[in-house]
Amino acid sequence: MTLATVRGMKDILPPESERWAALEASFRSHAGRYGFREIRTPLLERTELFARAVGETTDIVEKEMYTFTDRSGESLTVRPEGTASVVRAFLDHRPGAGEGPVRLFYIGPMFRHERPQKGRMRQFHQMGAELFGTDAPYADAETIAFLHGFLVGAGLRGISLEINSLGDPECRPAYHARLTEYLAARDAELCDDCRRRRERNPLRVLDCKAERCVRATADAPSILDFLCGPCRDHFAAVEGALASAGVPFSRNPRMVRGLDYYRRTTFEFVIPGMGAQNTVAAGGRYDGLAQLLGGKERVPAIGFAIGVERLLMLLGEGGAASPPADVFLVTTSSALLPDAFRRKMELVAAGVRADMDYEGRSLKSQFRRADRSGAKVVLVLGEEEGRRGAVGYRDMANGIQEEIPAEEAMRRLRGVPKEG
RNA sequence: GUGAGUGUAGCUCAGUUGGCAGAGCACCAGACUGUGGCUCUGGCUGUCGCGGGUUCAACCCCCGUCACUCACCCCA
């Protein structure tokens, strides 16, 4: 192979590209029902945006970003996630200012320099949504219900929704301190990785799959016991609203998210038994992010992102075969190719999916191609018929071929139901 | 970043103790006249990932390298 895609990047070919398009169309439709409108932000942002939003000490920022210095000496980064850009754009433009909550969704590629494996690419794609301007628990529930409805509608089965609250700056420090203390006392029982991350990110220890860590942290303090009054009320209200929205969920007080900006509600849709990449979609509330990025006032917000590759992987193959042609034109001699070409152009212009062979192959070969194209009708342009101003009109399903005036055939074909 | 596995025709893959690179599918052409599917006959296609080494001889053994896949880490 002389040239290939860059590592971790993939071409998306038909018919797979058609499955992508169908999924995106479905997402747009669901989003529209909930009042979310599309936003398209640049793939490139100042490095500082992601460093501040995602968190300086996260793996994403520390070692996974595609960062480079452009010709003017500025450090730019190809986006590793969507929320930071959307928040930045929201603060820049204030769409819908003064009109209540703002709902935005996006679809597009993200880039992280990781080792590729199943369900994880360097260029991967997310469909996400962000709801700005309210910290009402109903906003959390609505956002999650939207996501749930979309996933179920897409045909995903066996998903489970896990939710948690990470508290806020009022109550999280106390829990953090308590957990750190708890883990310090059990240092010897933890795996090597966890001993390392105990100091830096103690929450992550709770998420460790190593058996010894699961055992060691079995009775670890739960964040939910440390929530302050407002956070506790919020979480309870979210649970209530989810229940009334008919969205099943379970609490997972050990759930950890990979980005620093989350607070209060976090959630994940997971598929049991999918291995390490079992999270299909995830999100949470990020009430402090706008201010962290320099916004003047507090903008409460909640959002999620769906991993498109993972979702498609879970949905499996099938569906979306390439659409068959409506009609295939054949000629008995290459002298008739100009006539056939003219008619094909005329049919396509009229919205008919018409195809033909340009290579002057044998009639038999043209029919073989017609058959493979899936065409329902073959139009035979023959010398004999031509002398009578007629064409052969063959129904490929039953093999019945009749000779009819050329214009009559064209009229019939134009009557074929159009797409869209 | 760490570890393991795999790279052979357009695709899926065989290839024995080292001895002239194969199959199926696909594709092309035929099987009395100008007609598809089924069947039959014939035909085309290779940098055996790349670079070294061992050998009379390497797809096969050795070293290196790249790519892909899977797992770890982390994440959607």
Side-chain angles (χ1 to χ4, degrees), chain A residues 118-141:
Chain A
K118 195 181 190 67
R120 197 173 68 192
M121 293 283 117
R122 286 186 174 178
Q123 174 177 338
F124 63 106
H125 298 76
Q126 292 188 332
M127 302 192 289
E130 317 287 352
L131 197 171
F132 295 98
T134 170
D135 48 17
Y138 294 113
D140 304 46

Side-chain angles (χ1 to χ4, degrees), chain A residues 19-81:
Chain A
R19 298 175 63 220
W20 280 68
L23 197 70
E24 289 166 2
S26 167
F27 184 70
R28 287 195 156 86
S29 159
H30 278 261
R33 266 184 262 163
Y34 283 89
F36 285 82
R37 302 170 74 187
E38 182 166 7
I39 181 171
R40 303 193 188 198
T41 65
L43 266 59
L44 237 42
E45 298 275 3
R46 272 180 256 279
T47 300
E48 188 193 358
L49 173 66
F50 300 115
R52 280 163 63 182
V54 176
E56 299 275 5
T57 62
T58 56
D59 276 13
I60 293 177
V61 172
E62 280 189 345
K63 47 191 199 199
E64 294 175 2
M65 295 203 303
Y66 280 91
T67 295
F68 65 96
T69 304
D70 83 350
R71 287 164 191 274
S72 63
E74 194 164 25
S75 179
L76 302 181
T77 293
V78 193
R79 66 180 183 196
E81 62 104 45

Side-chain angles (χ1 to χ4, degrees), chain A residues 12-24 320:
Chain A
I12 301 161
L13 308 167
E16 219 196 322
S17 54
E18 283 141 12
R19 298 175 63 220
W20 280 68
L23 197 70
E24 289 166 2

